[in-house]
PDB file of all heavy atoms in Angstrom:
ATOM      1  N   GLU A 159      92.711 101.039 117.389  1.00  0.00           N
ATOM      2  CA  GLU A 159      91.747 100.990 116.299  1.00  0.00           C
ATOM      3  C   GLU A 159      91.786 102.311 115.542  1.00  0.00           C
ATOM      4  O   GLU A 159      91.927 103.362 116.141  1.00  0.00           O
ATOM      5  CB  GLU A 159      90.340 100.733 116.839  1.00  0.00           C
ATOM      6  CG  GLU A 159      90.200  99.375 117.508  1.00  0.00           C
ATOM      7  CD  GLU A 159      88.771  99.047 117.879  1.00  0.00           C
ATOM      8  OE1 GLU A 159      87.839  99.465 117.158  1.00  0.00           O
ATOM      9  OE2 GLU A 159      88.573  98.367 118.900  1.00  0.00           O
ATOM     10  N   TRP A 160      91.675 102.222 114.219  1.00  0.00           N
ATOM     11  CA  TRP A 160      91.739 103.399 113.327  1.00  0.00           C
ATOM     12  C   TRP A 160      93.120 104.048 113.390  1.00  0.00           C
ATOM     13  O   TRP A 160      93.269 105.269 113.311  1.00  0.00           O
ATOM     14  CB  TRP A 160      90.652 104.419 113.653  1.00  0.00           C
ATOM     15  CG  TRP A 160      89.265 103.871 113.604  1.00  0.00           C
ATOM     16  CD1 TRP A 160      88.538 103.438 114.683  1.00  0.00           C
ATOM     17  CD2 TRP A 160      88.456 103.645 112.458  1.00  0.00           C
ATOM     18  NE1 TRP A 160      87.321 102.966 114.263  1.00  0.00           N
ATOM     19  CE2 TRP A 160      87.236 103.090 112.897  1.00  0.00           C
ATOM     20  CE3 TRP A 160      88.644 103.871 111.103  1.00  0.00           C
ATOM     21  CZ2 TRP A 160      86.218 102.752 112.020  1.00  0.00           C
ATOM     22  CZ3 TRP A 160      87.608 103.538 110.233  1.00  0.00           C
ATOM     23  CH2 TRP A 160      86.421 102.986 110.696  1.00  0.00           C
ATOM     24  N   ALA A 161      94.152 103.247 113.522  1.00  0.00           N
ATOM     25  CA  ALA A 161      95.516 103.741 113.710  1.00  0.00           C
ATOM     26  C   ALA A 161      96.007 104.628 112.565  1.00  0.00           C
ATOM     27  O   ALA A 161      96.858 105.492 112.781  1.00  0.00           O
ATOM     28  CB  ALA A 161      96.471 102.565 113.909  1.00  0.00           C
ATOM     29  N   ASP A 162      95.497 104.439 111.367  1.00  0.00           N
ATOM     30  CA  ASP A 162      95.944 105.268 110.243  1.00  0.00           C
ATOM     31  C   ASP A 162      95.702 106.758 110.480  1.00  0.00           C
ATOM     32  O   ASP A 162      96.381 107.586 109.888  1.00  0.00           O
ATOM     33  CB  ASP A 162      95.272 104.842 108.932  1.00  0.00           C
ATOM     34  CG  ASP A 162      95.995 103.696 108.256  1.00  0.00           C
ATOM     35  OD1 ASP A 162      97.092 103.320 108.711  1.00  0.00           O
ATOM     36  OD2 ASP A 162      95.456 103.164 107.262  1.00  0.00           O
ATOM     37  N   THR A 163      94.757 107.084 111.349  1.00  0.00           N
ATOM     38  CA  THR A 163      94.454 108.503 111.589  1.00  0.00           C
ATOM     39  C   THR A 163      95.529 109.194 112.428  1.00  0.00           C
ATOM     40  O   THR A 163      95.529 110.419 112.516  1.00  0.00           O
ATOM     41  CB  THR A 163      93.074 108.698 112.257  1.00  0.00           C
ATOM     42  OG1 THR A 163      93.098 108.103 113.552  1.00  0.00           O
ATOM     43  CG2 THR A 163      91.957 108.094 111.424  1.00  0.00           C
ATOM     44  N   ILE A 164      96.431 108.405 113.048  1.00  0.00           N
ATOM     45  CA  ILE A 164      97.538 108.994 113.833  1.00  0.00           C
ATOM     46  C   ILE A 164      98.877 108.455 113.344  1.00  0.00           C
ATOM     47  O   ILE A 164      99.834 108.352 114.105  1.00  0.00           O
ATOM     48  CB  ILE A 164      97.356 108.738 115.352  1.00  0.00           C
ATOM     49  CG1 ILE A 164      97.323 107.238 115.665  1.00  0.00           C
ATOM     50  CG2 ILE A 164      96.125 109.458 115.882  1.00  0.00           C
ATOM     51  CD1 ILE A 164      97.515 106.909 117.131  1.00  0.00           C
ATOM     52  N   LYS A 165      98.928 108.121 112.077  1.00  0.00           N
ATOM     53  CA  LYS A 165     100.105 107.459 111.492  1.00  0.00           C
ATOM     54  C   LYS A 165     101.418 108.183 111.792  1.00  0.00           C
ATOM     55  O   LYS A 165     102.450 107.553 111.996  1.00  0.00           O
ATOM     56  CB  LYS A 165      99.905 107.343 109.990  1.00  0.00           C
ATOM     57  CG  LYS A 165     100.742 106.287 109.352  1.00  0.00           C
ATOM     58  CD  LYS A 165     100.350 106.088 107.906  1.00  0.00           C
ATOM     59  CE  LYS A 165     100.405 104.615 107.636  1.00  0.00           C
ATOM     60  NZ  LYS A 165      99.710 104.168 106.489  1.00  0.00           N
ATOM     61  N   ASP A 166     101.390 109.512 111.843  1.00  0.00           N
ATOM     62  CA  ASP A 166     102.629 110.265 112.012  1.00  0.00           C
ATOM     63  C   ASP A 166     103.240 110.155 113.402  1.00  0.00           C
ATOM     64  O   ASP A 166     104.394 110.523 113.596  1.00  0.00           O
ATOM     65  CB  ASP A 166     102.433 111.738 111.627  1.00  0.00           C
ATOM     66  CG  ASP A 166     101.309 112.414 112.370  1.00  0.00           C
ATOM     67  OD1 ASP A 166     100.334 111.738 112.733  1.00  0.00           O
ATOM     68  OD2 ASP A 166     101.402 113.635 112.587  1.00  0.00           O
ATOM     69  N   ILE A 167     102.509 109.625 114.392  1.00  0.00           N
ATOM     70  CA  ILE A 167     103.097 109.453 115.731  1.00  0.00           C
ATOM     71  C   ILE A 167     103.289 107.985 116.103  1.00  0.00           C
ATOM     72  O   ILE A 167     103.768 107.681 117.185  1.00  0.00           O
ATOM     73  CB  ILE A 167     102.288 110.172 116.836  1.00  0.00           C
ATOM     74  CG1 ILE A 167     100.891 109.556 116.993  1.00  0.00           C
ATOM     75  CG2 ILE A 167     102.254 111.665 116.595  1.00  0.00           C
ATOM     76  CD1 ILE A 167     100.189 109.960 118.271  1.00  0.00           C
ATOM     77  N   LEU A 168     102.921 107.079 115.207  1.00  0.00           N
ATOM     78  CA  LEU A 168     103.080 105.654 115.506  1.00  0.00           C
ATOM     79  C   LEU A 168     104.553 105.287 115.538  1.00  0.00           C
ATOM     80  O   LEU A 168     105.349 105.820 114.770  1.00  0.00           O
ATOM     81  CB  LEU A 168     102.357 104.804 114.465  1.00  0.00           C
ATOM     82  CG  LEU A 168     100.843 104.896 114.456  1.00  0.00           C
ATOM     83  CD1 LEU A 168     100.274 104.113 113.279  1.00  0.00           C
ATOM     84  CD2 LEU A 168     100.249 104.416 115.767  1.00  0.00           C
ATOM     85  N   PRO A 169     104.924 104.355 116.422  1.00  0.00           N
ATOM     86  CA  PRO A 169     106.312 103.903 116.457  1.00  0.00           C
ATOM     87  C   PRO A 169     106.697 103.250 115.133  1.00  0.00           C
ATOM     88  O   PRO A 169     105.853 102.664 114.446  1.00  0.00           O
ATOM     89  CB  PRO A 169     106.333 102.864 117.585  1.00  0.00           C
ATOM     90  CG  PRO A 169     105.095 103.084 118.361  1.00  0.00           C
ATOM     91  CD  PRO A 169     104.102 103.691 117.435  1.00  0.00           C
ATOM     92  N   GLU A 170     107.961 103.339 114.817  1.00  0.00           N
ATOM     93  CA  GLU A 170     108.464 102.731 113.587  1.00  0.00           C
ATOM     94  C   GLU A 170     108.260 101.220 113.619  1.00  0.00           C
ATOM     95  O   GLU A 170     107.881 100.608 112.631  1.00  0.00           O
ATOM     96  CB  GLU A 170     109.947 103.063 113.436  1.00  0.00           C
ATOM     97  CG  GLU A 170     110.554 102.597 112.144  1.00  0.00           C
ATOM     98  CD  GLU A 170     112.010 103.013 112.023  1.00  0.00           C
ATOM     99  OE1 GLU A 170     112.360 104.139 112.407  1.00  0.00           O
ATOM    100  OE2 GLU A 170     112.799 102.167 111.549  1.00  0.00           O
ATOM    101  N   ASN A 171     108.511 100.589 114.767  1.00  0.00           N
ATOM    102  CA  ASN A 171     108.333  99.146 114.930  1.00  0.00           C
ATOM    103  C   ASN A 171     106.940  98.877 115.462  1.00  0.00           C
ATOM    104  O   ASN A 171     106.583  99.325 116.562  1.00  0.00           O
ATOM    105  CB  ASN A 171     109.393  98.574 115.871  1.00  0.00           C
ATOM    106  CG  ASN A 171     110.780  98.658 115.275  1.00  0.00           C
ATOM    107  OD1 ASN A 171     110.961  98.612 114.072  1.00  0.00           O
ATOM    108  ND2 ASN A 171     111.769  98.798 116.135  1.00  0.00           N
ATOM    109  N   ARG A 172     106.171  98.122 114.670  1.00  0.00           N
ATOM    110  CA  ARG A 172     104.777  97.842 115.038  1.00  0.00           C
ATOM    111  C   ARG A 172     104.220  96.776 114.097  1.00  0.00           C
ATOM    112  O   ARG A 172     104.872  96.383 113.133  1.00  0.00           O
ATOM    113  CB  ARG A 172     103.931  99.106 114.954  1.00  0.00           C
ATOM    114  CG  ARG A 172     103.815  99.654 113.539  1.00  0.00           C
ATOM    115  CD  ARG A 172     103.032 100.955 113.478  1.00  0.00           C
ATOM    116  NE  ARG A 172     102.735 101.326 112.129  1.00  0.00           N
ATOM    117  CZ  ARG A 172     103.518 102.065 111.345  1.00  0.00           C
ATOM    118  NH1 ARG A 172     104.688 102.505 111.807  1.00  0.00           N
ATOM    119  NH2 ARG A 172     103.146 102.356 110.120  1.00  0.00           N
ATOM    120  N   LEU A 173     102.989  96.354 114.390  1.00  0.00           N
ATOM    121  CA  LEU A 173     102.288  95.411 113.529  1.00  0.00           C
ATOM    122  C   LEU A 173     101.015  96.089 113.032  1.00  0.00           C
ATOM    123  O   LEU A 173     100.176  96.494 113.837  1.00  0.00           O
ATOM    124  CB  LEU A 173     101.939  94.134 114.305  1.00  0.00           C
ATOM    125  CG  LEU A 173     101.291  93.023 113.493  1.00  0.00           C
ATOM    126  CD1 LEU A 173     102.282  92.462 112.467  1.00  0.00           C
ATOM    127  CD2 LEU A 173     100.794  91.908 114.408  1.00  0.00           C
ATOM    128  N   ASP A 174     100.891  96.243 111.724  1.00  0.00           N
ATOM    129  CA  ASP A 174      99.686  96.816 111.121  1.00  0.00           C
ATOM    130  C   ASP A 174      98.813  95.682 110.609  1.00  0.00           C
ATOM    131  O   ASP A 174      99.308  94.766 109.927  1.00  0.00           O
ATOM    132  CB  ASP A 174     100.035  97.733 109.949  1.00  0.00           C
ATOM    133  CG  ASP A 174     100.625  99.062 110.378  1.00  0.00           C
ATOM    134  OD1 ASP A 174     100.727  99.320 111.593  1.00  0.00           O
ATOM    135  OD2 ASP A 174     100.985  99.854 109.483  1.00  0.00           O
ATOM    136  N   ILE A 175      97.525  95.751 110.929  1.00  0.00           N
ATOM    137  CA  ILE A 175      96.565  94.764 110.432  1.00  0.00           C
ATOM    138  C   ILE A 175      95.400  95.518 109.798  1.00  0.00           C
ATOM    139  O   ILE A 175      94.754  96.339 110.450  1.00  0.00           O
ATOM    140  CB  ILE A 175      96.042  93.841 111.564  1.00  0.00           C
ATOM    141  CG1 ILE A 175      97.209  93.143 112.266  1.00  0.00           C
ATOM    142  CG2 ILE A 175      95.051  92.822 110.987  1.00  0.00           C
ATOM    143  CD1 ILE A 175      96.803  92.321 113.486  1.00  0.00           C
ATOM    144  N   TYR A 176      95.155  95.244 108.514  1.00  0.00           N
ATOM    145  CA  TYR A 176      94.061  95.864 107.775  1.00  0.00           C
ATOM    146  C   TYR A 176      92.956  94.826 107.570  1.00  0.00           C
ATOM    147  O   TYR A 176      93.205  93.755 107.020  1.00  0.00           O
ATOM    148  CB  TYR A 176      94.555  96.380 106.427  1.00  0.00           C
ATOM    149  CG  TYR A 176      95.566  97.486 106.585  1.00  0.00           C
ATOM    150  CD1 TYR A 176      96.919  97.202 106.704  1.00  0.00           C
ATOM    151  CD2 TYR A 176      95.163  98.820 106.641  1.00  0.00           C
ATOM    152  CE1 TYR A 176      97.858  98.210 106.877  1.00  0.00           C
ATOM    153  CE2 TYR A 176      96.096  99.834 106.823  1.00  0.00           C
ATOM    154  CZ  TYR A 176      97.432  99.526 106.934  1.00  0.00           C
ATOM    155  OH  TYR A 176      98.357 100.525 107.119  1.00  0.00           O
ATOM    156  N   PHE A 177      91.752  95.157 108.028  1.00  0.00           N
ATOM    157  CA  PHE A 177      90.595  94.283 107.914  1.00  0.00           C
ATOM    158  C   PHE A 177      89.780  94.693 106.691  1.00  0.00           C
ATOM    159  O   PHE A 177      89.350  95.842 106.592  1.00  0.00           O
ATOM    160  CB  PHE A 177      89.699  94.409 109.152  1.00  0.00           C
ATOM    161  CG  PHE A 177      90.279  93.838 110.407  1.00  0.00           C
ATOM    162  CD1 PHE A 177      91.299  94.485 111.096  1.00  0.00           C
ATOM    163  CD2 PHE A 177      89.793  92.647 110.934  1.00  0.00           C
ATOM    164  CE1 PHE A 177      91.829  93.972 112.265  1.00  0.00           C
ATOM    165  CE2 PHE A 177      90.319  92.119 112.106  1.00  0.00           C
ATOM    166  CZ  PHE A 177      91.334  92.786 112.771  1.00  0.00           C
ATOM    167  N   LYS A 178      89.577  93.752 105.780  1.00  0.00           N
ATOM    168  CA  LYS A 178      88.744  93.999 104.599  1.00  0.00           C
ATOM    169  C   LYS A 178      87.518  93.099 104.684  1.00  0.00           C
ATOM    170  O   LYS A 178      87.646  91.887 104.834  1.00  0.00           O
ATOM    171  CB  LYS A 178      89.517  93.707 103.314  1.00  0.00           C
ATOM    172  CG  LYS A 178      90.623  94.700 103.034  1.00  0.00           C
ATOM    173  CD  LYS A 178      91.351  94.345 101.752  1.00  0.00           C
ATOM    174  CE  LYS A 178      90.476  94.702 100.584  1.00  0.00           C
ATOM    175  NZ  LYS A 178      91.181  94.520  99.287  1.00  0.00           N
ATOM    176  N   VAL A 179      86.333  93.697 104.581  1.00  0.00           N
ATOM    177  CA  VAL A 179      85.085  92.943 104.631  1.00  0.00           C
ATOM    178  C   VAL A 179      84.835  92.313 103.268  1.00  0.00           C
ATOM    179  O   VAL A 179      84.842  93.001 102.249  1.00  0.00           O
ATOM    180  CB  VAL A 179      83.909  93.866 105.010  1.00  0.00           C
ATOM    181  CG1 VAL A 179      82.586  93.115 104.947  1.00  0.00           C
ATOM    182  CG2 VAL A 179      84.124  94.465 106.390  1.00  0.00           C
ATOM    183  N   VAL A 180      84.623  90.982 103.277  1.00  0.00           N
ATOM    184  CA  VAL A 180      84.277  90.270 102.050  1.00  0.00           C
ATOM    185  C   VAL A 180      82.767  90.085 101.991  1.00  0.00           C
ATOM    186  O   VAL A 180      82.130  90.384 100.987  1.00  0.00           O
ATOM    187  CB  VAL A 180      84.989  88.892 101.980  1.00  0.00           C
ATOM    188  CG1 VAL A 180      84.541  88.101 100.765  1.00  0.00           C
ATOM    189  CG2 VAL A 180      86.500  89.085 101.989  1.00  0.00           C
ATOM    190  N   ASP A 181      82.206  89.583 103.072  1.00  0.00           N
ATOM    191  CA  ASP A 181      80.757  89.455 103.203  1.00  0.00           C
ATOM    192  C   ASP A 181      80.413  89.519 104.688  1.00  0.00           C
ATOM    193  O   ASP A 181      81.262  89.903 105.491  1.00  0.00           O
ATOM    194  CB  ASP A 181      80.237  88.173 102.530  1.00  0.00           C
ATOM    195  CG  ASP A 181      80.827  86.894 103.094  1.00  0.00           C
ATOM    196  OD1 ASP A 181      81.143  86.853 104.310  1.00  0.00           O
ATOM    197  OD2 ASP A 181      80.983  85.918 102.336  1.00  0.00           O
ATOM    198  N   GLU A 182      79.219  89.144 105.046  1.00  0.00           N
ATOM    199  CA  GLU A 182      78.775  89.283 106.432  1.00  0.00           C
ATOM    200  C   GLU A 182      79.694  88.600 107.440  1.00  0.00           C
ATOM    201  O   GLU A 182      79.890  89.091 108.552  1.00  0.00           O
ATOM    202  CB  GLU A 182      77.354  88.723 106.570  1.00  0.00           C
ATOM    203  CG  GLU A 182      76.649  89.229 107.803  1.00  0.00           C
ATOM    204  CD  GLU A 182      75.159  88.972 107.762  1.00  0.00           C
ATOM    205  OE1 GLU A 182      74.526  89.352 106.756  1.00  0.00           O
ATOM    206  OE2 GLU A 182      74.657  88.383 108.732  1.00  0.00           O
ATOM    207  N   GLU A 183      80.292  87.487 107.076  1.00  0.00           N
ATOM    208  CA  GLU A 183      81.153  86.731 107.983  1.00  0.00           C
ATOM    209  C   GLU A 183      82.643  86.800 107.632  1.00  0.00           C
ATOM    210  O   GLU A 183      83.481  86.901 108.512  1.00  0.00           O
ATOM    211  CB  GLU A 183      80.725  85.249 107.995  1.00  0.00           C
ATOM    212  CG  GLU A 183      79.373  84.999 108.619  1.00  0.00           C
ATOM    213  CD  GLU A 183      79.376  85.165 110.120  1.00  0.00           C
ATOM    214  OE1 GLU A 183      80.354  84.766 110.764  1.00  0.00           O
ATOM    215  OE2 GLU A 183      78.396  85.695 110.653  1.00  0.00           O
ATOM    216  N   LYS A 184      82.974  86.713 106.361  1.00  0.00           N
ATOM    217  CA  LYS A 184      84.356  86.553 105.913  1.00  0.00           C
ATOM    218  C   LYS A 184      85.121  87.881 105.891  1.00  0.00           C
ATOM    219  O   LYS A 184      84.588  88.902 105.474  1.00  0.00           O
ATOM    220  CB  LYS A 184      84.377  85.931 104.517  1.00  0.00           C
ATOM    221  CG  LYS A 184      85.763  85.507 104.068  1.00  0.00           C
ATOM    222  CD  LYS A 184      85.774  85.023 102.633  1.00  0.00           C
ATOM    223  CE  LYS A 184      85.143  83.668 102.491  1.00  0.00           C
ATOM    224  NZ  LYS A 184      85.256  83.131 101.124  1.00  0.00           N
ATOM    225  N   ARG A 185      86.385  87.814 106.347  1.00  0.00           N
ATOM    226  CA  ARG A 185      87.287  88.962 106.335  1.00  0.00           C
ATOM    227  C   ARG A 185      88.626  88.554 105.737  1.00  0.00           C
ATOM    228  O   ARG A 185      89.091  87.434 105.935  1.00  0.00           O
ATOM    229  CB  ARG A 185      87.551  89.487 107.759  1.00  0.00           C
ATOM    230  CG  ARG A 185      86.304  89.874 108.543  1.00  0.00           C
ATOM    231  CD  ARG A 185      85.602  91.066 107.943  1.00  0.00           C
ATOM    232  NE  ARG A 185      84.494  91.530 108.762  1.00  0.00           N
ATOM    233  CZ  ARG A 185      83.210  91.241 108.527  1.00  0.00           C
ATOM    234  NH1 ARG A 185      82.880  90.446 107.526  1.00  0.00           N
ATOM    235  NH2 ARG A 185      82.261  91.740 109.301  1.00  0.00           N
ATOM    236  N   ILE A 186      89.236  89.470 105.019  1.00  0.00           N
ATOM    237  CA  ILE A 186      90.612  89.292 104.574  1.00  0.00           C
ATOM    238  C   ILE A 186      91.454  90.237 105.405  1.00  0.00           C
ATOM    239  O   ILE A 186      91.134  91.419 105.538  1.00  0.00           O
ATOM    240  CB  ILE A 186      90.777  89.591 103.075  1.00  0.00           C
ATOM    241  CG1 ILE A 186      90.021  88.560 102.248  1.00  0.00           C
ATOM    242  CG2 ILE A 186      92.265  89.621 102.698  1.00  0.00           C
ATOM    243  CD1 ILE A 186      90.005  88.838 100.763  1.00  0.00           C
ATOM    244  N   LEU A 187      92.523  89.699 105.996  1.00  0.00           N
ATOM    245  CA  LEU A 187      93.440  90.513 106.787  1.00  0.00           C
ATOM    246  C   LEU A 187      94.757  90.641 106.048  1.00  0.00           C
ATOM    247  O   LEU A 187      95.302  89.656 105.568  1.00  0.00           O
ATOM    248  CB  LEU A 187      93.691  89.887 108.161  1.00  0.00           C
ATOM    249  CG  LEU A 187      92.719  90.258 109.282  1.00  0.00           C
ATOM    250  CD1 LEU A 187      91.285  89.982 108.930  1.00  0.00           C
ATOM    251  CD2 LEU A 187      93.108  89.557 110.548  1.00  0.00           C
ATOM    252  N   ILE A 188      95.213  91.878 105.952  1.00  0.00           N
ATOM    253  CA  ILE A 188      96.533  92.154 105.394  1.00  0.00           C
ATOM    254  C   ILE A 188      97.394  92.599 106.563  1.00  0.00           C
ATOM    255  O   ILE A 188      97.067  93.567 107.254  1.00  0.00           O
ATOM    256  CB  ILE A 188      96.453  93.213 104.284  1.00  0.00           C
ATOM    257  CG1 ILE A 188      95.575  92.652 103.177  1.00  0.00           C
ATOM    258  CG2 ILE A 188      97.857  93.585 103.797  1.00  0.00           C
ATOM    259  CD1 ILE A 188      95.217  93.541 102.079  1.00  0.00           C
ATOM    260  N   ILE A 189      98.463  91.854 106.807  1.00  0.00           N
ATOM    261  CA  ILE A 189      99.287  92.041 107.999  1.00  0.00           C
ATOM    262  C   ILE A 189     100.681  92.493 107.561  1.00  0.00           C
ATOM    263  O   ILE A 189     101.321  91.823 106.744  1.00  0.00           O
ATOM    264  CB  ILE A 189      99.354  90.720 108.801  1.00  0.00           C
ATOM    265  CG1 ILE A 189      97.932  90.286 109.160  1.00  0.00           C
ATOM    266  CG2 ILE A 189     100.230  90.874 110.026  1.00  0.00           C
ATOM    267  CD1 ILE A 189      97.721  88.828 109.199  1.00  0.00           C
ATOM    268  N   LYS A 190     101.106  93.628 108.109  1.00  0.00           N
ATOM    269  CA  LYS A 190     102.420  94.182 107.764  1.00  0.00           C
ATOM    270  C   LYS A 190     103.240  94.379 109.032  1.00  0.00           C
ATOM    271  O   LYS A 190     102.912  95.226 109.851  1.00  0.00           O
ATOM    272  CB  LYS A 190     102.266  95.521 107.054  1.00  0.00           C
ATOM    273  CG  LYS A 190     101.574  95.444 105.726  1.00  0.00           C
ATOM    274  CD  LYS A 190     101.498  96.811 105.084  1.00  0.00           C
ATOM    275  CE  LYS A 190     100.752  96.756 103.783  1.00  0.00           C
ATOM    276  NZ  LYS A 190     100.653  98.090 103.157  1.00  0.00           N
ATOM    277  N   PRO A 191     104.293  93.576 109.195  1.00  0.00           N
ATOM    278  CA  PRO A 191     105.183  93.765 110.349  1.00  0.00           C
ATOM    279  C   PRO A 191     106.263  94.805 110.033  1.00  0.00           C
ATOM    280  O   PRO A 191     106.814  94.818 108.931  1.00  0.00           O
ATOM    281  CB  PRO A 191     105.801  92.386 110.535  1.00  0.00           C
ATOM    282  CG  PRO A 191     105.815  91.787 109.167  1.00  0.00           C
ATOM    283  CD  PRO A 191     104.622  92.358 108.446  1.00  0.00           C
ATOM    284  N   TYR A 192     106.527  95.659 110.986  1.00  0.00           N
ATOM    285  CA  TYR A 192     107.603  96.639 110.883  1.00  0.00           C
ATOM    286  C   TYR A 192     108.564  96.392 112.038  1.00  0.00           C
ATOM    287  O   TYR A 192     108.191  96.580 113.190  1.00  0.00           O
ATOM    288  CB  TYR A 192     107.057  98.072 110.953  1.00  0.00           C
ATOM    289  CG  TYR A 192     106.167  98.430 109.786  1.00  0.00           C
ATOM    290  CD1 TYR A 192     104.789  98.253 109.867  1.00  0.00           C
ATOM    291  CD2 TYR A 192     106.703  98.939 108.615  1.00  0.00           C
ATOM    292  CE1 TYR A 192     103.962  98.581 108.800  1.00  0.00           C
ATOM    293  CE2 TYR A 192     105.897  99.266 107.538  1.00  0.00           C
ATOM    294  CZ  TYR A 192     104.523  99.086 107.635  1.00  0.00           C
ATOM    295  OH  TYR A 192     103.710  99.400 106.578  1.00  0.00           O
ATOM    296  N   GLY A 193     109.765  95.941 111.719  1.00  0.00           N
ATOM    297  CA  GLY A 193     110.760  95.639 112.742  1.00  0.00           C
ATOM    298  C   GLY A 193     110.937  94.147 112.928  1.00  0.00           C
ATOM    299  O   GLY A 193     110.016  93.351 112.707  1.00  0.00           O
ATOM    300  N   LYS A 194     112.140  93.772 113.352  1.00  0.00           N
ATOM    301  CA  LYS A 194     112.534  92.367 113.479  1.00  0.00           C
ATOM    302  C   LYS A 194     111.623  91.561 114.396  1.00  0.00           C
ATOM    303  O   LYS A 194     111.202  90.462 114.049  1.00  0.00           O
ATOM    304  CB  LYS A 194     113.980  92.310 113.980  1.00  0.00           C
ATOM    305  CG  LYS A 194     114.575  90.926 114.025  1.00  0.00           C
ATOM    306  CD  LYS A 194     116.030  91.004 114.447  1.00  0.00           C
ATOM    307  CE  LYS A 194     116.825  89.795 114.471  1.00  0.00           C
ATOM    308  NZ  LYS A 194     116.472  88.516 114.514  1.00  0.00           N
ATOM    309  N   GLU A 195     111.264  92.107 115.570  1.00  0.00           N
ATOM    310  CA  GLU A 195     110.445  91.312 116.493  1.00  0.00           C
ATOM    311  C   GLU A 195     109.044  91.071 115.933  1.00  0.00           C
ATOM    312  O   GLU A 195     108.445  90.023 116.185  1.00  0.00           O
ATOM    313  CB  GLU A 195     110.412  91.934 117.885  1.00  0.00           C
ATOM    314  CG  GLU A 195     109.915  93.341 117.957  1.00  0.00           C
ATOM    315  CD  GLU A 195     110.263  94.002 119.284  1.00  0.00           C
ATOM    316  OE1 GLU A 195     110.547  93.313 120.271  1.00  0.00           O
ATOM    317  OE2 GLU A 195     110.246  95.234 119.315  1.00  0.00           O
ATOM    318  N   TYR A 196     108.526  92.001 115.131  1.00  0.00           N
ATOM    319  CA  TYR A 196     107.210  91.805 114.527  1.00  0.00           C
ATOM    320  C   TYR A 196     107.281  90.843 113.344  1.00  0.00           C
ATOM    321  O   TYR A 196     106.341  90.088 113.109  1.00  0.00           O
ATOM    322  CB  TYR A 196     106.605  93.155 114.128  1.00  0.00           C
ATOM    323  CG  TYR A 196     106.297  93.996 115.341  1.00  0.00           C
ATOM    324  CD1 TYR A 196     107.187  94.965 115.779  1.00  0.00           C
ATOM    325  CD2 TYR A 196     105.146  93.769 116.080  1.00  0.00           C
ATOM    326  CE1 TYR A 196     106.929  95.712 116.919  1.00  0.00           C
ATOM    327  CE2 TYR A 196     104.878  94.512 117.221  1.00  0.00           C
ATOM    328  CZ  TYR A 196     105.768  95.480 117.636  1.00  0.00           C
ATOM    329  OH  TYR A 196     105.510  96.201 118.764  1.00  0.00           O
ATOM    330  N   GLU A 197     108.406  90.859 112.627  1.00  0.00           N
ATOM    331  CA  GLU A 197     108.612  89.885 111.560  1.00  0.00           C
ATOM    332  C   GLU A 197     108.703  88.480 112.150  1.00  0.00           C
ATOM    333  O   GLU A 197     108.108  87.532 111.626  1.00  0.00           O
ATOM    334  CB  GLU A 197     109.882  90.221 110.776  1.00  0.00           C
ATOM    335  CG  GLU A 197     109.747  91.479 109.942  1.00  0.00           C
ATOM    336  CD  GLU A 197     111.066  91.985 109.379  1.00  0.00           C
ATOM    337  OE1 GLU A 197     112.101  91.299 109.541  1.00  0.00           O
ATOM    338  OE2 GLU A 197     111.057  93.081 108.783  1.00  0.00           O
TER     339      GLU A 197
END
């Protein structure tokens, strides 16, 4: 959680998920795979 704060030590291959609050219940997730196995 809060992975962006340690971005410089994160492995090159990983799955990033960004949670955006729309309202009390609804969320938009932006998912970025890095590397073949995550794709």
Side-chain angles (χ1 to χ4, degrees):
E159 296 188 33
W160 303 97
D162 275 352
T163 64
I164 60 165
K165 201 172 219 162
D166 55 330
I167 65 165
L168 293 174
E170 185 177 320
N171 293 330
R172 65 183 190 271
L173 184 67
D174 286 357
I175 303 174
Y176 296 88
F177 290 74
K178 290 180 74 174
V179 175
V180 175
D181 60 32
E182 199 165 308
E183 292 288 321
K184 190 186 287 185
R185 303 294 186 260
I186 294 174
L187 272 55
I188 298 173
I189 303 147
K190 296 181 183 179
Y192 295 93
K194 186 176 184 340
E195 57 196 340
Y196 293 97
E197 290 168 6

